[in-house]
Amino acid sequence: MMTQYKLYDLAKVIRSKNSGPFAITLDVLFDNPDIYYKIKNNGLIDKKLISRLYHIPQEMISQIVFYDPALGFKITFARKISSGTSFDTDVYGAQQHAPLGELVIEI
């Protein structure tokens, strides 16, 4: 039987940060190889999902990279508003991981 978990509950680390003034990077690291490889091998994280979670077109997502030695993946996408300009609500990009952390995954 499959159980539902939020990504926050499965990952050891979920964080976001600026990747320059015009992009955000999300990092997700696991301490359990089984969970990492289930997420990776089942294609659960893709541009379509990130587009939906962050309300951005897929063209704004520049990369999704899985890195097996670290049991983690990195997602980089363009910011809607550059860091530090008018209407920017997170100058460091440090609070942008929340939608991804709330993602429900069945394992």
Side-chain angles (χ1 to χ4, degrees):
M1 184 171 109
M2 304 269 272
T3 304
Q4 292 185 340
Y5 298 94
K6 288 186 178 182
L7 191 58
Y8 277 132
D9 299 323
L10 298 174
K12 174 100 172 155
V13 173
I14 300 178
R15 63 183 173 215
S16 60
K17 59 190 175 220
N18 283 340
S19 183
F22 306 109
I24 295 285
T25 292
L26 308 170
D27 298 317
V28 181
L29 304 169
F30 299 88
D31 58 2
N32 183 324
D34 293 334
I35 292 171
Y36 167 75
Y37 283 107
K38 282 181 183 178
I39 290 171
K40 177 186 175 187
N41 295 336
N42 289 321
L44 299 178
I45 306 297
D46 60 13
K47 286 186 175 186
K48 184 177 179 181
L49 171 72
I50 301 306
S51 174
R52 181 176 56 81
L53 289 176
Y54 286 89
H55 308 288
I56 58 173
Q58 290 185 37
E59 295 77 34
M60 288 180 70
I61 303 163
S62 57
Q63 65 179 338
I64 298 176
V65 177
F66 284 84
Y67 186 62
D68 296 346
L71 298 177
F73 61 88
K74 176 181 291 248
I75 301 164
T76 303
F77 58 87
R79 291 178 66 119
K80 293 178 184 177
I81 298 171
S82 64
S83 176
T85 60
S86 294
F87 305 109
D88 178 21
T89 59
D90 187 5
V91 72
Y92 298 110
Q95 303 301 316
Q96 302 307 308
H97 59 281
L100 187 60
E102 291 291 328
L103 178 67
V104 175
I105 295 182
E106 289 189 27
I107 301 234

